[in-house]
Amino acid sequence: DPYSSDPERHPVLRINSKKPFNAEPPPEILTESYITPHVLFFKRNHLPVPQVDPASYRLQVEGLPRGALTLSLKDLKTRFPKHTVTATMQCAGNRRSDMNQVKEVKGLNWGISAIGNAKWSGARLRDVLLAAGFGPDVAKWARHVHFEGLDKDVTGSAYGTSIPINKAMNEDGDVLLAYEMNGEDIPADHGFPVRVVVPGVVGARNVKWLGRIVVSAEESSSHWQQYDYKGFSPGTDWSKVDHASSPAIQELPVQSAITVPADGAQIDRSDETLTVKGYAWSGGGREVVRVDVSLDGGKTWQVAQLRSGDKGQPDEPSPPPGRSWAWKLWELTAPLPPDADELEIICKAVDNSYNVQPDTIPPIWNLRGLLNNAWHRVKVKVTE
Ligand code: MTE
Ligand code: MO
């Protein structure tokens, strides 16, 4: 069993698939902390977790005219400045289960917790590429940076993807070759000893157990770049799908979800007020500037309180414009609407480009169930 050496996991996680291991935390626990503890952080593995010996670990940096650069873990830690970024990571399949209910889609049935926020530390990819010989001549032809994991399928091909060179080389891009998560060595499930962190970009590009980096004029030819993680029209079915016609997902759209109360929860009418909680985030470093909440199915709206830190603690300092990589947690306490036996609670976020979430799923439905960012709705019963 290639999965027999997989690490232990926290029993509270909701498992979507055991082998490979895919799981997410219960929503109400997810938003209890601004920084997601690694045990609760969603785990999205396509293959068995590779066991990597940190002493013999080597990272290959290839594709540059000077030839390959080989770095040990110690090289990464000592030859490059350590940089720390708080960044939210979200799987493109987050909230797929709701899309699946509109019409069947193909993929793991994720709820709303295939997202997490962590403090990542490591070397900047930019610094490593500069040390490997990236310069003005390379900039003339280089368009993409490929990443390959050390996890391999039965045919021996590794998990791999690529990102645009501009994101990799931009001083404000904050792309990391991370060796720490929340101040500790990156745990096995999250890519020990080194993973790529591409803030603002879909989870799939944040390659774990990083073994190889290649600077190239072309996108990665891997399955995950070319035949997965792409968006399509609601009218496209499996007989018509042409993967070459759609670009690979990189920056994600604006997102929010309600974590408390849970769908189907019972609220006591004598409570008089109701507290609604959730998360909100946008891709590409765009900052969430507002979250609107409705307790009556969208007829009336109230503005939720946003925070970028733990409850009762000061907020983290605001990042410079264009580098808002971390989510905001939000909360609204409002009077319970009188006379209603059932409430439809809705949330929707707005980012600083005034991007908004679509109100329903059907216009954004797609056969892989990706990129569901429709208004999130939960129904609760009000009981005597
Ligand atoms: N990297 C490797 N090597 N193998 C993988 O299966 N999964 C990707 C990405 N990086 C994956 C990977 C996907 S689809 C996501 S959403 C994130 O890792 C999940 O990261 P996490 O498990 O740390 O939450
Ligand atoms: Mo993902």
Side-chain angles (χ1 to χ4, degrees):
D1 176 4
Y3 293 94
S4 59
S5 54
D6 266 23
E8 294 272 315
R9 279 99 181 197
H10 199 288
V12 81
L13 294 175
R14 294 180 181 168
I15 297 175
N16 293 319
S17 123
K18 274 198 169 129
K19 299 175 180 187
F21 191 78
N22 287 283
E24 63 189 299
E28 63 279 13
I29 297 183
L30 177 66
T31 49
E32 266 174 22
S33 46
Y34 178 71
I35 298 292
T36 314
H38 76 83
V39 291
L40 296 176
F41 205 95
F42 78 101
K43 321 224 181 281
R44 203 288 174 244
N45 298 327
H46 290 81
L47 298 162
V49 172
Q51 284 183 296
V52 185
D53 167 23
S56 58
Y57 170 81
R58 295 291 180 277
L59 173 64
Q60 296 291 127
V61 186
E62 299 172 19
L64 294 163
R66 231 193 254 167
L69 173 70
T70 305
L71 297 169
S72 67
L73 186 57
K74 194 172 165 217
D75 291 333
L76 261 185
K77 290 183 176 177
T78 56
R79 285 179 50 185
F80 306 95
K82 181 174 172 182
H83 187 61
T84 297
V85 175
T86 303
T88 294
M89 193 176 300
Q90 181 184 218
C91 182
N94 191 31
R95 304 185 57 203
R96 178 181 282 132
S97 57
D98 283 341
M99 200 172 261
N100 205 23
Q101 283 187 348
V102 169
K103 193 174 142 198
E104 197 184 357
V105 298
K106 202 177 118 191
L108 293 163
N109 216 28
W110 293 108
I112 64 170
S113 302
I115 185 168
N117 188 48
K119 236 183 232 304
W120 309 95
S121 310
R124 289 179 199 256
L125 173 61
R126 175 190 150 83
D127 293 343
V128 171
L129 293 182
L130 288 171
F134 191 100
D137 285 350
V138 178
K140 284 187 195 137
W141 57 263
R143 293 292 173 271
H144 304 272
V145 182
H146 301 199
F147 305 119
E148 248 180 55
L150 296 166
D151 48 339
K152 299 203 165 81
D153 66 16
V154 284
T155 70
S157 62
Y159 182 86
T161 65
S162 62
I163 62 167
I165 192 77
N166 295 352
K167 174 68 176 168
M169 291 307 297
N170 186 340
E171 279 186 78
D172 294 338
D174 287 325
V175 181
L176 296 185
L177 305 181
Y179 43 77
E180 285 178 16
M181 178 181 192
N182 300 340
E184 291 169 29
D185 288 353
I186 296 221
D189 259 327
H190 300 288
F192 181 82
V194 177
R195 90 172 298 170
V196 189
V197 173
V198 193
V201 162
V202 66
R205 316 294 166 220
N206 293 245
V207 173
K208 305 192 274 191
W209 316 290
L210 182 67
R212 206 158 83 104
I213 299 176
V214 184
V215 175
S216 173
E218 310 296 333
E219 250 194 343
S220 163
S221 61
S222 85
H223 170 83
W224 294 279
Q225 192 76 15
Q226 300 299 332
Y227 300 102
D228 203 349
Y229 303 111
K230 292 190 168 193
F232 293 98
S233 163
T236 300
D237 64 23
W238 288 103
S239 69
K240 281 188 287 201
V241 65
D242 170 17
H243 284 92
S245 70
S246 279
I249 299 166
Q250 298 281 349
E251 290 182 357
L252 285 172
V254 61
Q255 177 69 289
S256 68
I258 300 161
T259 54
V260 176
D263 194 39
Q266 305 227 345
I267 311 288
D268 200 323
R269 195 179 302 283
S270 65
D271 283 355
E272 289 171 11
T273 63
L274 176 63
T275 297
V276 185
K277 296 181 193 179
Y279 64 76
W281 178 73
S282 189
R286 289 175 288 275
E287 182 181 7
V288 166
V289 294
R290 202 183 76 226
V291 171
D292 300 322
V293 178
S294 174
L295 304 182
D296 54 11
K299 286 192 208 81
T300 63
W301 296 92
Q302 302 175 65
V303 177
Q305 254 185 0
L306 306 179
R307 59 185 161 85
S308 340
D310 280 313
K311 207 171 175 189
Q313 297 296 120
D315 276 1
E316 282 204 347
S318 291
R323 290 165 81 185
S324 287
W325 312 124
W327 68 9
K328 296 202 179 171
L329 299 182
W330 57 262
E331 194 169 318
L332 174 84
T333 298
L336 205 55
D339 309 325
D341 297 329
E342 194 184 58
L343 306 178
E344 186 185 11
I345 309 173
I346 305 179
C347 74
K348 62 184 178 80
V350 181
D351 73 18
N352 65 347
S353 298
Y354 283 99
N355 290 308
V356 295
Q357 300 179 236
D359 54 349
T360 60
I361 294 174
I364 56 165
W365 183 95
N366 59 90
L367 73 185
R368 285 289 277 106
L370 300 174
L371 302 169
N372 180 13
N373 71 331
W375 296 0
H376 187 228
R377 299 160 190 262
V378 305
K379 284 195 172 132
V380 297
K381 290 222 155 55
V382 185
T383 53
E384 301 303 326

